[in-house]
Amino acid sequence: GAGVSQTPSNKVTEKGKYVELRCDPISGHTALYWYRQSLGQGPEFLIYFQGTGAADDSGLPNDRFFAVRPEGSVSTLKIQRTERGDSAVYLCASSLGTSGTGELFFGEGSRLTVL
Amino acid sequence: AQTVTQSQPEMSVQEAETVTLSCTYDTSENNYYLFWYKQPPSRQMILVIRQEAYKQQNATENRFSVNFQKAAKSFSLKISDSQLGDTAMYFCAFMKPGSARQLTFGSGTQLTVLP
């Protein structure tokens, strides 16, 4: 596609359930990022992939959060045993590389609501 | 660690007028990059303008310009000839070179352009 695509757009789940959020980056972009945006806040970094490997996962809040990018393109953010505090918009971004100030292109996010 | 502060949660401006959004940041780095992003209700983060800290000249992109004061660690955004389509959340963001493009965002300013 022309831009970063994220699915689902909205997800409502119950506390304790498992959730997967998908990100399809711009074709050819090697770098992929996940950010979390809580209500009334700016986005916060979660994890960064360069190709298939997670180059930096220092932003993941705990071991309930995990992300994969098995073929270096689509990425899935996985959240186990969801908690109400996980409710947020999860933004994905991609870029051509990681040098210089090349632009990050963001998707429209997945809004997760945990009841 | 870097911090970014936006002290104006909400602002409004009349159509065709000029408005300035404030941003301050804290860092011990000498070289870094600063950005302003726009987030409309669609949730997609859109890059408005960027500034390299080593450049003394303030960046300009059409109706958008910045006032970068490195010593004061201030990075304000001026929007001239405001248009209804400028209504959005605006986020100031900081990036450290070599950080693989991890962005640190402020908490945002909701700008409303009034007809």
Side-chain angles (χ1 to χ4, degrees):
Chain A
V4 177
S5 176
Q6 291 188 246
T7 55
S9 180
N10 291 283
K11 175 71 177 178
V12 180
T13 191
E14 294 180 343
K15 180 176 179 294
K17 298 291 188 181
Y18 170 80
V19 167
E20 288 190 352
L21 306 176
R22 175 190 167 105
C23 173
D24 197 344
I26 293 172
S27 178
H29 281 193
T30 57
L32 185 146
Y33 304 80
W34 284 98
Y35 283 79
R36 180 169 70 173
Q37 186 175 17
S38 299
L39 189 63
Q41 300 296 318
E44 294 178 318
F45 169 79
L46 294 177
I47 187 170
Y48 146 63
F49 287 89
Q50 179 59 39
T52 60
D56 185 345
D57 64 358
S58 62
L60 294 178
N62 52 60
D63 61 6
R64 295 187 298 105
F65 287 75
F66 189 72
V68 296
R69 194 186 186 198
E71 298 179 357
S73 178
V74 171
S75 176
T76 304
L77 178 66
K78 307 180 180 191
I79 310 173
Q80 298 177 322
R81 305 183 303 280
T82 52
E83 299 178 356
R84 292 193 179 86
D86 298 335
S87 296
V89 174
Y90 290 82
L91 294 167
C92 177
S94 69
S95 67
L96 274 173
T98 57
S99 61
T101 59
E103 185 173 349
L104 267 69
F105 293 84
F106 284 83
E108 295 187 348
S110 293
R111 181 183 299 280
L112 174 65
T113 302
V114 182
L115 301 176
Chain B
Q2 287 69 230
T3 59
V4 177
T5 301
Q6 293 179 250
S7 58
Q8 305 155 313
E10 297 180 359
M11 292 192 72
S12 62
V13 62
Q14 291 294 138
E15 195 175 5
E17 297 295 309
T18 295
V19 64
T20 298
L21 308 183
S22 301
C23 172
T24 59
Y25 58 93
D26 189 20
T27 183
S28 59
E29 303 288 333
N30 186 53
N31 192 24
Y32 47 86
Y33 307 99
L34 295 165
F35 305 82
W36 279 97
Y37 279 86
K38 168 184 176 180
Q39 187 178 42
S42 69
R43 303 192 304 236
Q44 185 179 24
M45 301 286 280
I46 301 166
L47 179 64
V48 174
I49 197 165
R50 61 180 163 223
Q51 173 83 42
E52 290 88 345
Y54 64 86
K55 290 186 177 179
Q56 293 186 341
Q57 186 173 8
N58 288 324
T60 299
E61 288 287 342
N62 300 313
R63 297 183 295 108
F64 299 88
S65 62
V66 299
N67 183 5
F68 173 49
Q69 301 290 328
K70 190 173 183 180
K73 296 180 181 175
S74 171
F75 184 60
S76 61
L77 174 69
K78 185 171 83 170
I79 306 174
S80 304
D81 185 25
S82 297
Q83 301 175 0
L84 296 177
D86 295 334
T87 293
M89 279 289 284
Y90 285 81
F91 291 94
C92 179
F94 173 102
M95 186 181 78
K96 185 174 65 174
S99 64
R101 297 202 188 134
Q102 284 186 36
L103 293 163
T104 300
F105 288 88
S107 57
T109 296
Q110 174 63 49
L111 175 67
T112 302
V113 179
L114 304 169

